[in-house]
Amino acid sequence: MTRFLSSLASLLLTAAVATPVFALDSAAVPAQVSPLPKVPAQAPAIRAAKLLEPTLRLPKSKIPGEVRVALTFDACMGEVDQRILSVLVSEKIPATIFVTARWLRRNPQTLAVFKAHPEQFELENHGENHVPAVDQPMQIYGIAAAGSPQAVEREVAGGAGAMLAASLPAPRWFRGATAKYDVSAMTQIRGMGFRIAGYSVNGDGGSLLGAAMSEKHIAGARDGDVVLAHINQPTHAAGEGVAKGILALKRRGVTFVRLADVPDLTDETLMH
């Protein structure tokens, strides 16, 4: 029995040496192989980006008693709200319009109106495809964020490029979709040469408020406020209220300015 076991063991050892489990091409093996990283028992979760919504206010006017308000409008996609545009044009009220490449392509006639009144309308960068300028993957108000620094750069640069292609002046301000950012994306955007356009009065709640509430928000603007509203939703009730709120400000004797009209305006502002 002992002799049988000894012979069996010798036979198994010979077979193991003679028959490899797999063969490798020696040319495919690197000279040095990095050791595999040690995986902790429980990998830490990636921390979600803290989103910031910058506030922007105008510095105090040097004219005693003057109340200055900057009206800024996002033209995200879709068309134009003539209820708002007609008030701005007929009342000769200056405004800053943030346009996307998508909106520019769809609205050449309104673009021609803006170009015909360069002293009244300042056009700035709202991005290429209306993608939130956040460099981590997430959803903001149901919209997928850019998700990486490269995608943030494409969104910002693509919007500016579309403006230049439309023979518009090079933009100096950027406002991303949803007006929310993370710190690293804000740093990146500023490094590209843009100031980030926050606001101090949300005029129409993303164009989702009713007419009465939109009118109330805008009509209540105070000295130094930067109002955010939308000019691309002609079917929403908010547009009616935005137009009425603008007229209410004019009756109060408010001085309307574009962002470009305030040379000492910066985006080094508080966050909320």
Side-chain angles (χ1 to χ4, degrees), residues 16-45:
V17 173
T19 308
V21 176
F22 57 86
L24 288 176
D25 181 356
S26 60
V29 181
Q32 292 183 339
V33 179
S34 300
L36 293 175
K38 295 182 178 180
V39 180
Q42 184 174 3

Short mmCIF file of all heavy atoms in Angstrom, two decimals, residues 16-45:
data_model
loop_
_atom_site.label_atom_id
_atom_site.label_comp_id
_atom_site.label_asym_id
_atom_site.label_seq_id
_atom_site.Cartn_x
_atom_site.Cartn_y
_atom_site.Cartn_z
N ALA A 16 2.08 17.60 -13.26
CA ALA A 16 1.96 19.03 -12.95
C ALA A 16 3.08 19.82 -13.56
O ALA A 16 2.90 20.94 -14.04
CB ALA A 16 1.91 19.23 -11.43
N VAL A 17 4.28 19.28 -13.56
CA VAL A 17 5.44 19.96 -14.13
C VAL A 17 5.36 19.98 -15.65
O VAL A 17 5.68 20.96 -16.30
CB VAL A 17 6.74 19.31 -13.66
CG1 VAL A 17 7.95 19.90 -14.38
CG2 VAL A 17 6.89 19.46 -12.15
N ALA A 18 4.91 18.92 -16.24
CA ALA A 18 4.94 18.78 -17.70
C ALA A 18 3.81 19.53 -18.37
O ALA A 18 3.92 19.91 -19.53
CB ALA A 18 4.84 17.30 -18.07
N THR A 19 2.67 19.79 -17.67
CA THR A 19 1.50 20.40 -18.30
C THR A 19 1.17 21.72 -17.61
O THR A 19 0.58 21.71 -16.54
CB THR A 19 0.28 19.46 -18.20
OG1 THR A 19 0.65 18.18 -18.68
CG2 THR A 19 -0.89 20.03 -18.98
N PRO A 20 1.55 22.90 -18.20
CA PRO A 20 1.24 24.19 -17.57
C PRO A 20 -0.24 24.47 -17.63
O PRO A 20 -0.94 24.04 -18.55
CB PRO A 20 2.04 25.19 -18.40
CG PRO A 20 2.18 24.55 -19.74
CD PRO A 20 2.27 23.09 -19.47
N VAL A 21 -0.74 25.26 -16.68
CA VAL A 21 -2.14 25.62 -16.66
C VAL A 21 -2.46 26.55 -17.81
O VAL A 21 -3.48 26.46 -18.47
CB VAL A 21 -2.50 26.29 -15.31
CG1 VAL A 21 -3.95 26.76 -15.31
CG2 VAL A 21 -2.26 25.31 -14.17
N PHE A 22 -1.61 27.60 -18.13
CA PHE A 22 -1.78 28.48 -19.28
C PHE A 22 -0.41 28.95 -19.71
O PHE A 22 0.55 28.87 -18.96
CB PHE A 22 -2.68 29.67 -18.94
CG PHE A 22 -2.18 30.49 -17.78
CD1 PHE A 22 -1.26 31.50 -17.97
CD2 PHE A 22 -2.63 30.23 -16.48
CE1 PHE A 22 -0.80 32.24 -16.92
CE2 PHE A 22 -2.16 30.98 -15.43
CZ PHE A 22 -1.25 31.98 -15.63
N ALA A 23 -0.35 29.43 -20.96
CA ALA A 23 0.92 29.91 -21.51
C ALA A 23 0.81 31.40 -21.77
O ALA A 23 -0.22 31.90 -22.21
CB ALA A 23 1.23 29.18 -22.82
N LEU A 24 1.88 32.17 -21.51
CA LEU A 24 1.93 33.60 -21.75
C LEU A 24 2.97 33.91 -22.79
O LEU A 24 4.03 33.30 -22.82
CB LEU A 24 2.30 34.35 -20.45
CG LEU A 24 1.23 34.42 -19.35
CD1 LEU A 24 1.82 35.09 -18.14
CD2 LEU A 24 0.01 35.15 -19.84
N ASP A 25 2.64 34.87 -23.66
CA ASP A 25 3.62 35.39 -24.59
C ASP A 25 4.58 36.26 -23.80
O ASP A 25 4.19 37.27 -23.19
CB ASP A 25 2.91 36.21 -25.66
CG ASP A 25 3.88 36.76 -26.70
OD1 ASP A 25 5.08 36.56 -26.53
OD2 ASP A 25 3.40 37.41 -27.65
N SER A 26 5.85 35.91 -23.81
CA SER A 26 6.83 36.63 -22.98
C SER A 26 6.92 38.09 -23.39
O SER A 26 7.22 38.96 -22.57
CB SER A 26 8.20 35.96 -23.10
OG SER A 26 8.63 35.97 -24.46
N ALA A 27 6.63 38.41 -24.66
CA ALA A 27 6.71 39.80 -25.11
C ALA A 27 5.60 40.63 -24.51
O ALA A 27 5.67 41.85 -24.47
CB ALA A 27 6.65 39.87 -26.63
N ALA A 28 4.49 40.00 -24.08
CA ALA A 28 3.35 40.74 -23.54
C ALA A 28 3.49 41.01 -22.06
O ALA A 28 2.69 41.72 -21.48
CB ALA A 28 2.06 39.96 -23.79
N VAL A 29 4.49 40.48 -21.43
CA VAL A 29 4.66 40.66 -19.99
C VAL A 29 5.54 41.87 -19.74
O VAL A 29 6.66 41.93 -20.24
CB VAL A 29 5.30 39.40 -19.36
CG1 VAL A 29 5.46 39.58 -17.87
CG2 VAL A 29 4.46 38.19 -19.67
N PRO A 30 5.06 42.88 -18.99
CA PRO A 30 5.89 44.05 -18.72
C PRO A 30 7.08 43.69 -17.86
O PRO A 30 7.06 42.71 -17.11
CB PRO A 30 4.93 44.99 -17.98
CG PRO A 30 3.88 44.08 -17.38
CD PRO A 30 3.75 42.94 -18.33
N ALA A 31 8.12 44.49 -17.99
CA ALA A 31 9.32 44.24 -17.21
C ALA A 31 9.02 44.32 -15.73
O ALA A 31 9.56 43.57 -14.93
CB ALA A 31 10.40 45.25 -17.59
N GLN A 32 8.16 45.29 -15.34
CA GLN A 32 7.79 45.42 -13.95
C GLN A 32 6.27 45.53 -13.87
O GLN A 32 5.65 46.21 -14.67
CB GLN A 32 8.42 46.67 -13.31
CG GLN A 32 9.94 46.57 -13.18
CD GLN A 32 10.51 47.79 -12.49
OE1 GLN A 32 9.88 48.83 -12.45
NE2 GLN A 32 11.69 47.65 -11.94
N VAL A 33 5.70 44.88 -12.94
CA VAL A 33 4.26 44.90 -12.75
C VAL A 33 3.96 45.60 -11.44
O VAL A 33 4.48 45.21 -10.40
CB VAL A 33 3.67 43.48 -12.74
CG1 VAL A 33 2.17 43.52 -12.51
CG2 VAL A 33 3.99 42.76 -14.04
N SER A 34 3.14 46.66 -11.52
CA SER A 34 2.80 47.40 -10.30
C SER A 34 1.95 46.52 -9.41
O SER A 34 1.08 45.79 -9.89
CB SER A 34 2.03 48.67 -10.64
OG SER A 34 2.80 49.51 -11.47
N PRO A 35 2.20 46.57 -8.12
CA PRO A 35 1.38 45.76 -7.22
C PRO A 35 -0.06 46.25 -7.24
O PRO A 35 -0.34 47.43 -7.44
CB PRO A 35 2.03 46.00 -5.85
CG PRO A 35 2.71 47.32 -5.99
CD PRO A 35 3.18 47.37 -7.41
N LEU A 36 -0.99 45.35 -7.06
CA LEU A 36 -2.40 45.73 -7.01
C LEU A 36 -2.67 46.57 -5.78
O LEU A 36 -2.12 46.31 -4.71
CB LEU A 36 -3.28 44.47 -6.97
CG LEU A 36 -3.26 43.61 -8.24
CD1 LEU A 36 -4.08 42.34 -8.00
CD2 LEU A 36 -3.82 44.38 -9.41
N PRO A 37 -3.50 47.62 -5.92
CA PRO A 37 -3.81 48.44 -4.75
C PRO A 37 -4.59 47.63 -3.73
O PRO A 37 -5.38 46.75 -4.08
CB PRO A 37 -4.66 49.58 -5.32
CG PRO A 37 -5.25 49.01 -6.58
CD PRO A 37 -4.21 48.07 -7.11
N LYS A 38 -4.36 47.93 -2.48
CA LYS A 38 -5.10 47.26 -1.43
C LYS A 38 -6.50 47.86 -1.35
O LYS A 38 -6.67 49.07 -1.27
CB LYS A 38 -4.39 47.43 -0.09
CG LYS A 38 -3.03 46.74 -0.04
CD LYS A 38 -2.39 46.90 1.31
CE LYS A 38 -1.04 46.17 1.38
NZ LYS A 38 -0.41 46.33 2.71
N VAL A 39 -7.49 47.02 -1.44
CA VAL A 39 -8.88 47.47 -1.39
C VAL A 39 -9.37 47.38 0.03
O VAL A 39 -9.31 46.31 0.65
CB VAL A 39 -9.76 46.60 -2.32
CG1 VAL A 39 -11.20 47.07 -2.27
CG2 VAL A 39 -9.22 46.63 -3.74
N PRO A 40 -9.82 48.51 0.60
CA PRO A 40 -10.33 48.45 1.96
C PRO A 40 -11.57 47.58 2.03
O PRO A 40 -12.26 47.35 1.03
CB PRO A 40 -10.67 49.91 2.28
CG PRO A 40 -10.87 50.56 0.95
CD PRO A 40 -9.94 49.83 0.02
N ALA A 41 -11.87 47.12 3.22
CA ALA A 41 -13.03 46.26 3.41
C ALA A 41 -14.30 46.93 2.92
O ALA A 41 -15.18 46.31 2.35
CB ALA A 41 -13.16 45.89 4.89
N GLN A 42 -14.39 48.28 3.12
CA GLN A 42 -15.56 49.03 2.64
C GLN A 42 -15.05 50.33 2.03
O GLN A 42 -14.57 51.20 2.73
CB GLN A 42 -16.53 49.30 3.78
CG GLN A 42 -17.81 49.99 3.29
CD GLN A 42 -18.82 50.12 4.41
OE1 GLN A 42 -18.54 49.75 5.54
NE2 GLN A 42 -19.99 50.65 4.11
N ALA A 43 -15.14 50.46 0.70
CA ALA A 43 -14.64 51.65 0.03
C ALA A 43 -15.47 52.86 0.42
O ALA A 43 -16.70 52.78 0.49
CB ALA A 43 -14.69 51.46 -1.48
N PRO A 44 -14.83 54.02 0.69
CA PRO A 44 -15.60 55.21 1.07
C PRO A 44 -16.42 55.73 -0.11
O PRO A 44 -15.99 55.67 -1.25
CB PRO A 44 -14.51 56.21 1.47
CG PRO A 44 -13.28 55.77 0.73
CD PRO A 44 -13.39 54.27 0.66
N ALA A 45 -17.60 56.23 0.17
CA ALA A 45 -18.46 56.77 -0.89
C ALA A 45 -17.90 58.10 -1.37
O ALA A 45 -17.28 58.85 -0.61
CB ALA A 45 -19.88 56.97 -0.35
#
